[in-house]
PDB file of all heavy atoms in Angstrom:
ATOM      1  N   LEU A 443     -72.506 138.107 189.756  1.00  0.00           N
ATOM      2  CA  LEU A 443     -73.044 136.839 190.277  1.00  0.00           C
ATOM      3  C   LEU A 443     -73.642 135.998 189.065  1.00  0.00           C
ATOM      4  O   LEU A 443     -73.478 134.776 189.095  1.00  0.00           O
ATOM      5  CB  LEU A 443     -74.095 137.164 191.338  1.00  0.00           C
ATOM      6  CG  LEU A 443     -74.740 135.989 192.033  1.00  0.00           C
ATOM      7  CD1 LEU A 443     -73.691 135.097 192.720  1.00  0.00           C
ATOM      8  CD2 LEU A 443     -75.890 136.469 192.955  1.00  0.00           C
ATOM      9  N   ALA A 447     -72.481 132.248 188.081  1.00  0.00           N
ATOM     10  CA  ALA A 447     -73.505 131.085 188.092  1.00  0.00           C
ATOM     11  C   ALA A 447     -73.669 130.591 186.645  1.00  0.00           C
ATOM     12  O   ALA A 447     -73.768 129.322 186.441  1.00  0.00           O
ATOM     13  CB  ALA A 447     -74.833 131.627 188.610  1.00  0.00           C
ATOM     14  N   TRP A 505     -83.594 136.466 187.941  1.00  0.00           N
ATOM     15  CA  TRP A 505     -84.438 135.518 188.597  1.00  0.00           C
ATOM     16  C   TRP A 505     -84.816 134.383 187.550  1.00  0.00           C
ATOM     17  O   TRP A 505     -84.986 133.190 188.003  1.00  0.00           O
ATOM     18  CB  TRP A 505     -85.699 136.070 189.211  1.00  0.00           C
ATOM     19  CG  TRP A 505     -85.403 136.596 190.594  1.00  0.00           C
ATOM     20  CD1 TRP A 505     -85.429 137.949 190.961  1.00  0.00           C
ATOM     21  CD2 TRP A 505     -85.170 135.855 191.819  1.00  0.00           C
ATOM     22  NE1 TRP A 505     -85.183 138.066 192.356  1.00  0.00           N
ATOM     23  CE2 TRP A 505     -84.963 136.809 192.887  1.00  0.00           C
ATOM     24  CE3 TRP A 505     -85.008 134.484 192.065  1.00  0.00           C
ATOM     25  CZ2 TRP A 505     -84.727 136.430 194.154  1.00  0.00           C
ATOM     26  CZ3 TRP A 505     -84.684 134.151 193.316  1.00  0.00           C
ATOM     27  CH2 TRP A 505     -84.562 135.089 194.357  1.00  0.00           C
ATOM     28  N   VAL A 508     -82.587 131.158 187.539  1.00  0.00           N
ATOM     29  CA  VAL A 508     -82.615 130.167 188.605  1.00  0.00           C
ATOM     30  C   VAL A 508     -83.426 128.885 188.119  1.00  0.00           C
ATOM     31  O   VAL A 508     -82.847 127.827 188.152  1.00  0.00           O
ATOM     32  CB  VAL A 508     -83.282 130.740 189.933  1.00  0.00           C
ATOM     33  CG1 VAL A 508     -83.444 129.638 190.937  1.00  0.00           C
ATOM     34  CG2 VAL A 508     -82.393 131.872 190.432  1.00  0.00           C
ATOM     35  N   MET A 511     -81.706 126.669 185.355  1.00  0.00           N
ATOM     36  CA  MET A 511     -80.638 125.729 185.718  1.00  0.00           C
ATOM     37  C   MET A 511     -81.060 124.349 185.875  1.00  0.00           C
ATOM     38  O   MET A 511     -80.311 123.432 185.711  1.00  0.00           O
ATOM     39  CB  MET A 511     -80.010 126.241 187.030  1.00  0.00           C
ATOM     40  CG  MET A 511     -79.178 127.497 186.955  1.00  0.00           C
ATOM     41  SD  MET A 511     -78.268 127.829 188.438  1.00  0.00           S
ATOM     42  CE  MET A 511     -77.299 129.301 187.890  1.00  0.00           C
ATOM     43  N   PHE A 512     -82.381 124.159 186.140  1.00  0.00           N
ATOM     44  CA  PHE A 512     -82.890 122.808 186.319  1.00  0.00           C
ATOM     45  C   PHE A 512     -83.410 122.174 185.071  1.00  0.00           C
ATOM     46  O   PHE A 512     -84.051 121.143 185.090  1.00  0.00           O
ATOM     47  CB  PHE A 512     -83.908 122.795 187.431  1.00  0.00           C
ATOM     48  CG  PHE A 512     -83.399 123.234 188.856  1.00  0.00           C
ATOM     49  CD1 PHE A 512     -83.560 124.515 189.247  1.00  0.00           C
ATOM     50  CD2 PHE A 512     -82.628 122.369 189.519  1.00  0.00           C
ATOM     51  CE1 PHE A 512     -83.039 124.850 190.426  1.00  0.00           C
ATOM     52  CE2 PHE A 512     -82.088 122.729 190.755  1.00  0.00           C
ATOM     53  CZ  PHE A 512     -82.260 123.966 191.268  1.00  0.00           C
ATOM     54  N   THR A 587     -76.995 117.689 191.975  1.00  0.00           N
ATOM     55  CA  THR A 587     -76.685 118.380 193.211  1.00  0.00           C
ATOM     56  C   THR A 587     -75.876 119.525 193.016  1.00  0.00           C
ATOM     57  O   THR A 587     -76.105 120.616 193.753  1.00  0.00           O
ATOM     58  CB  THR A 587     -76.067 117.426 194.224  1.00  0.00           C
ATOM     59  OG1 THR A 587     -76.813 116.253 194.363  1.00  0.00           O
ATOM     60  CG2 THR A 587     -75.933 118.022 195.596  1.00  0.00           C
ATOM     61  N   ALA A 588     -74.895 119.499 192.092  1.00  0.00           N
ATOM     62  CA  ALA A 588     -73.998 120.679 191.881  1.00  0.00           C
ATOM     63  C   ALA A 588     -74.845 121.818 191.255  1.00  0.00           C
ATOM     64  O   ALA A 588     -74.673 123.013 191.632  1.00  0.00           O
ATOM     65  CB  ALA A 588     -72.977 120.283 190.873  1.00  0.00           C
ATOM     66  N   LEU A 589     -75.807 121.470 190.376  1.00  0.00           N
ATOM     67  CA  LEU A 589     -76.657 122.475 189.849  1.00  0.00           C
ATOM     68  C   LEU A 589     -77.541 123.136 190.906  1.00  0.00           C
ATOM     69  O   LEU A 589     -77.774 124.357 191.015  1.00  0.00           O
ATOM     70  CB  LEU A 589     -77.601 121.968 188.767  1.00  0.00           C
ATOM     71  CG  LEU A 589     -77.003 121.786 187.376  1.00  0.00           C
ATOM     72  CD1 LEU A 589     -78.140 121.206 186.419  1.00  0.00           C
ATOM     73  CD2 LEU A 589     -76.584 123.081 186.786  1.00  0.00           C
ATOM     74  N   GLY A 590     -78.047 122.252 191.897  1.00  0.00           N
ATOM     75  CA  GLY A 590     -78.821 122.854 193.005  1.00  0.00           C
ATOM     76  C   GLY A 590     -78.001 123.746 193.846  1.00  0.00           C
ATOM     77  O   GLY A 590     -78.505 124.771 194.374  1.00  0.00           O
ATOM     78  N   ALA A 591     -76.714 123.382 194.046  1.00  0.00           N
ATOM     79  CA  ALA A 591     -75.871 124.311 194.927  1.00  0.00           C
ATOM     80  C   ALA A 591     -75.601 125.638 194.185  1.00  0.00           C
ATOM     81  O   ALA A 591     -75.676 126.696 194.785  1.00  0.00           O
ATOM     82  CB  ALA A 591     -74.496 123.563 195.154  1.00  0.00           C
ATOM     83  N   VAL A 592     -75.395 125.679 192.886  1.00  0.00           N
ATOM     84  CA  VAL A 592     -75.148 126.887 192.161  1.00  0.00           C
ATOM     85  C   VAL A 592     -76.487 127.743 192.245  1.00  0.00           C
ATOM     86  O   VAL A 592     -76.466 128.952 192.364  1.00  0.00           O
ATOM     87  CB  VAL A 592     -74.750 126.604 190.714  1.00  0.00           C
ATOM     88  CG1 VAL A 592     -74.718 127.889 189.933  1.00  0.00           C
ATOM     89  CG2 VAL A 592     -73.476 125.864 190.706  1.00  0.00           C
ATOM     90  N   ALA A 593     -77.607 127.024 192.014  1.00  0.00           N
ATOM     91  CA  ALA A 593     -78.861 127.797 192.060  1.00  0.00           C
ATOM     92  C   ALA A 593     -79.150 128.396 193.503  1.00  0.00           C
ATOM     93  O   ALA A 593     -79.696 129.439 193.549  1.00  0.00           O
ATOM     94  CB  ALA A 593     -80.048 126.791 191.686  1.00  0.00           C
ATOM     95  N   ALA A 594     -78.811 127.670 194.432  1.00  0.00           N
ATOM     96  CA  ALA A 594     -78.946 128.120 195.843  1.00  0.00           C
ATOM     97  C   ALA A 594     -78.070 129.412 196.112  1.00  0.00           C
ATOM     98  O   ALA A 594     -78.593 130.284 196.717  1.00  0.00           O
ATOM     99  CB  ALA A 594     -78.589 127.055 196.863  1.00  0.00           C
ATOM    100  N   LEU A 595     -76.831 129.361 195.562  1.00  0.00           N
ATOM    101  CA  LEU A 595     -75.955 130.511 195.701  1.00  0.00           C
ATOM    102  C   LEU A 595     -76.551 131.679 194.964  1.00  0.00           C
ATOM    103  O   LEU A 595     -76.628 132.849 195.557  1.00  0.00           O
ATOM    104  CB  LEU A 595     -74.563 130.197 195.160  1.00  0.00           C
ATOM    105  CG  LEU A 595     -73.564 131.267 195.088  1.00  0.00           C
ATOM    106  CD1 LEU A 595     -73.224 131.779 196.548  1.00  0.00           C
ATOM    107  CD2 LEU A 595     -72.303 130.875 194.320  1.00  0.00           C
ATOM    108  N   LEU A 596     -77.070 131.502 193.798  1.00  0.00           N
ATOM    109  CA  LEU A 596     -77.628 132.580 192.992  1.00  0.00           C
ATOM    110  C   LEU A 596     -78.924 133.138 193.738  1.00  0.00           C
ATOM    111  O   LEU A 596     -79.062 134.328 193.786  1.00  0.00           O
ATOM    112  CB  LEU A 596     -77.963 132.091 191.521  1.00  0.00           C
ATOM    113  CG  LEU A 596     -78.581 133.127 190.708  1.00  0.00           C
ATOM    114  CD1 LEU A 596     -77.712 134.341 190.483  1.00  0.00           C
ATOM    115  CD2 LEU A 596     -78.835 132.460 189.251  1.00  0.00           C
ATOM    116  N   THR A 597     -79.682 132.220 194.224  1.00  0.00           N
ATOM    117  CA  THR A 597     -80.927 132.615 194.868  1.00  0.00           C
ATOM    118  C   THR A 597     -80.624 133.491 196.164  1.00  0.00           C
ATOM    119  O   THR A 597     -81.303 134.505 196.388  1.00  0.00           O
ATOM    120  CB  THR A 597     -81.675 131.359 195.286  1.00  0.00           C
ATOM    121  OG1 THR A 597     -82.146 130.640 194.136  1.00  0.00           O
ATOM    122  CG2 THR A 597     -82.961 131.849 196.080  1.00  0.00           C
ATOM    123  N   ALA A 598     -79.590 133.142 196.877  1.00  0.00           N
ATOM    124  CA  ALA A 598     -79.223 133.920 198.078  1.00  0.00           C
ATOM    125  C   ALA A 598     -78.697 135.302 197.685  1.00  0.00           C
ATOM    126  O   ALA A 598     -79.187 136.310 198.290  1.00  0.00           O
ATOM    127  CB  ALA A 598     -78.124 133.145 198.866  1.00  0.00           C
ATOM    128  N   GLY A 599     -77.962 135.417 196.649  1.00  0.00           N
ATOM    129  CA  GLY A 599     -77.501 136.700 196.232  1.00  0.00           C
ATOM    130  C   GLY A 599     -78.609 137.514 195.654  1.00  0.00           C
ATOM    131  O   GLY A 599     -78.689 138.829 195.992  1.00  0.00           O
ATOM    132  N   LEU A 600     -79.539 137.032 194.912  1.00  0.00           N
ATOM    133  CA  LEU A 600     -80.629 137.768 194.312  1.00  0.00           C
ATOM    134  C   LEU A 600     -81.644 138.164 195.430  1.00  0.00           C
ATOM    135  O   LEU A 600     -82.257 139.244 195.268  1.00  0.00           O
ATOM    136  CB  LEU A 600     -81.273 136.885 193.240  1.00  0.00           C
ATOM    137  CG  LEU A 600     -80.482 136.685 191.912  1.00  0.00           C
ATOM    138  CD1 LEU A 600     -81.341 135.838 190.956  1.00  0.00           C
ATOM    139  CD2 LEU A 600     -80.067 137.977 191.357  1.00  0.00           C
ATOM    140  N   THR A 601     -81.792 137.330 196.352  1.00  0.00           N
ATOM    141  CA  THR A 601     -82.726 137.648 197.475  1.00  0.00           C
ATOM    142  C   THR A 601     -82.260 138.958 198.208  1.00  0.00           C
ATOM    143  O   THR A 601     -83.040 139.849 198.529  1.00  0.00           O
ATOM    144  CB  THR A 601     -82.876 136.492 198.479  1.00  0.00           C
ATOM    145  OG1 THR A 601     -83.401 135.384 197.708  1.00  0.00           O
ATOM    146  CG2 THR A 601     -83.820 136.919 199.636  1.00  0.00           C
TER     147      THR A 601
END
Side-chain angles (χ1 to χ4, degrees):
L443 182 62
W505 276 111
V508 176
M511 290 187 175
F512 297 101
T587 306
L589 281 179
V592 175
L595 174 65
L596 179 58
T597 299
L600 292 180
T601 299

